[in-house]
Amino acid sequence: MATKVYFTDLKVDNKKSLLEKIPKLLEPFNLAERFRQNSLVAVKLHFGEWGNLAHLRPQWARKVVEVLKGLSVKPFLTDTNTLYKGSRSDAVSHIETAIANGFDFAVVKAPVIIADGLLGNSYELIQLDLPILKEFYIAKEIYRADGLVVLTHFKGHELSGFGGTIKNLAMGGAARKGKLQQHSTLTPKVNKRLCAGCGTCLEFCPVEAPELAVGAKKKRFRINPKKCIGCGECIAVCPKGAIKVQWNEQAVPFMKKMAEYAYAVLSNKQGRAVFLNFIMDVSPACDCHHYNDYPVVRNIGILASDDPVAIDQASVELVNAEPSLPGAKICADPGEDKFKSLYPKVDWEIQLAHAEEIGLGTRDYELVRV
């Protein structure tokens, strides 16, 4: 049975602004029935790496917050710390970056809470019998929230072809250990040149996996793969940024793991989650970069659904129906696959097919214009 995906374009007149389209898009989902009064509702979004200007504007989040507060619920904005070392790899830097990008309480009227704690190690362990993964490390405050509204900037992505709701749930809903589980099958690696031998990694490691390297000319550490449990905390705490992720996972298993993580994030949110995809500033790559390239296609509109698979399928097809913009990274006609043009070796359909297979949602949708 086809899932309804609600869509509005970006046309307005002098009687209303684009922001006024958000309540109309959310109206069909009867949020008052999904979220009980005084419940804690997570508004999940990507605050953007510092320097990236393609991320969602904070005014969109504020309008969603206004709608939720009108239902007498308690919304908070949230995301999780990054696996890599950057401007969002710990909660302090993350919140500072969010504020610098406009997500301050004065603007959005809701607090920012980093869902996986100070260093990305605050999680709930979820066990599910899915085809690839059996254990999932879900950010604690996302898991414990009563409801979930997911705001996603729809864009290209180097490993999954595109980044939509599924990726926002999977990567953004996982604690650091869960992110590492999706991206790598190897233990983190110490850069010999950068390591100062300070021992901070050993101090924070729960299993004493960092060890002094034998025979090294200067004091430095290595990670013992037999001890490492893949928590990734050493990556976050190294003051020299010497400990790196080994990004060895290939695109196909990565996308399947991603779909399974999205399933796990929603495992306790049945009937209590709604998704919005913003097809604007469709940059070729993820908002995790500290820059953004020229948009691939024009700004198209906003979609809403309670099915993460259907909304991503609809978003892909709307983008692919457009011609690429002059000056974009690719040159493609209407109907040509923009994401396969960007990343020819990545078959983005795998994430949607696997998501449908495990019961996350359906690719069969009906587009309803609002």
Side-chain angles (χ1 to χ4, degrees):
M1 184 176 177
T3 296
K4 289 184 177 179
V5 176
Y6 297 89
F7 169 73
T8 184
D9 58 31
L10 303 178
K11 295 176 182 176
V12 293
D13 54 35
N14 61 2
K15 296 179 181 178
K16 61 182 177 182
S17 75
L18 280 175
L19 292 173
E20 297 308 315
K21 294 194 172 192
I22 295 298
K24 287 292 184 182
L25 275 174
L26 293 174
E27 202 171 85
F29 301 102
N30 298 315
L31 297 186
E33 295 181 7
R34 291 176 185 263
F35 309 137
R36 68 178 186 274
Q37 287 190 6
N38 294 316
S39 61
L40 300 171
V41 177
V43 178
K44 169 67 182 76
L45 72 163
H46 191 306
F47 298 119
E49 196 74 12
W50 175 245
N52 186 294
L53 298 178
H55 62 83
L56 292 181
R57 294 179 181 180
Q59 291 90 336
W60 295 116
R62 175 172 177 145
K63 180 53 68 171
V64 171
V65 166
E66 287 177 359
V67 171
L68 292 172
K69 284 190 171 183
L71 305 174
S72 297
V73 304
K74 298 176 182 178
F76 63 96
L77 272 55
T78 194
D79 197 6
T80 54
N81 294 310
T82 58
L83 179 57
Y84 60 85
K85 193 81 171 177
S87 70
R88 298 178 301 119
S89 52
D90 63 76
V92 174
S93 301
H94 203 155
I95 291 174
E96 287 178 343
T97 300
I99 292 172
N101 283 342
F103 296 94
D104 192 0
F105 188 90
V107 177
V108 297
K109 298 301 181 184
V112 171
I113 298 173
I114 303 306
D116 58 346
L118 193 63
L119 290 169
N121 59 4
S122 178
Y123 60 78
E124 293 281 349
L125 172 59
I126 309 301
Q127 295 182 324
L128 296 169
D129 188 20
L130 293 177
I132 298 178
L133 300 174
K134 311 300 178 184
E135 293 185 340
F136 301 83
Y137 304 91
I138 308 303
K140 187 178 286 289
E141 308 314 335
I142 287 177
Y143 183 81
R144 296 185 67 180
D146 299 309
L148 192 59
V149 179
V150 181
L151 313 185
T152 301
H153 170 224
F154 196 80
K155 57 204 170 293
H157 192 272
E158 304 88 318
L159 267 181
S160 54
F162 71 84
T165 290
I166 292 174
K167 183 182 180 297
N168 196 357
L169 285 167
M171 203 56 60
R176 178 171 278 111
K177 186 170 183 176
K179 291 181 173 67
L180 188 59
Q181 186 183 27
Q182 293 175 71
H183 275 293
S184 178
T185 61
L186 302 173
T187 58
K189 186 176 182 178
V190 179
N191 184 313
K192 299 176 184 179
R193 183 177 58 83
L194 295 178
C195 179
C198 65
T200 303
C201 54
L202 180 60
E203 179 185 344
F204 280 85
C205 180
V207 293
E208 298 184 347
E211 299 174 343
L212 282 171
V214 178
K217 293 181 179 180
K218 68 171 186 174
K219 182 182 178 183
R220 63 176 178 80
F221 283 82
R222 63 180 288 273
I223 307 297
N224 187 333
K226 294 182 179 179
K227 290 183 178 181
C228 180
I229 59 173
C231 68
E233 191 157 343
C234 56
I235 300 167
V237 300
C238 178
K240 297 294 184 179
I243 305 177
K244 307 291 184 181
V245 180
Q246 298 196 64
W247 308 93
N248 73 311
E249 191 59 282
Q250 299 300 305
V252 171
F254 169 77
M255 284 188 281
K256 290 184 176 182
K257 287 180 183 181
M258 200 172 68
E260 293 185 7
Y261 251 88
Y263 184 101
V265 170
L266 295 176
S267 62
N268 69 335
K269 298 287 189 294
Q270 291 88 350
R272 294 183 287 119
V274 175
F275 315 106
L276 293 170
N277 275 5
F278 294 77
I279 310 179
M280 308 171 184
D281 298 317
V282 184
S283 48
C286 184
D287 292 343
C288 290
H289 292 292
H290 61 279
Y291 59 88
N292 55 283
D293 203 352
Y294 198 81
V296 176
V297 297
R298 71 180 179 94
N299 291 349
I300 297 172
I302 312 167
L303 290 84
S305 181
D306 56 4
D307 183 326
V309 182
I311 195 171
D312 276 358
Q313 181 72 48
S315 299
V316 168
E317 293 183 4
L318 284 169
V319 170
N320 284 342
E322 294 289 323
S324 59
L325 287 174
K329 202 169 186 178
I330 56 170
C331 180
D333 294 326
E336 286 189 64
D337 194 320
K338 308 301 180 296
F339 302 105
K340 288 182 181 177
S341 295
L342 284 168
Y343 305 107
K345 296 181 180 180
V346 178
D347 182 2
W348 55 261
E349 294 195 55
I350 288 170
Q351 64 172 293
L352 295 176
H354 192 67
E356 188 174 48
E357 180 185 334
I358 63 176
L360 181 60
T362 177
R363 298 176 72 179
D364 187 14
Y365 68 92
E366 174 191 353
L367 197 66
V368 180
R369 287 186 172 267
V370 175

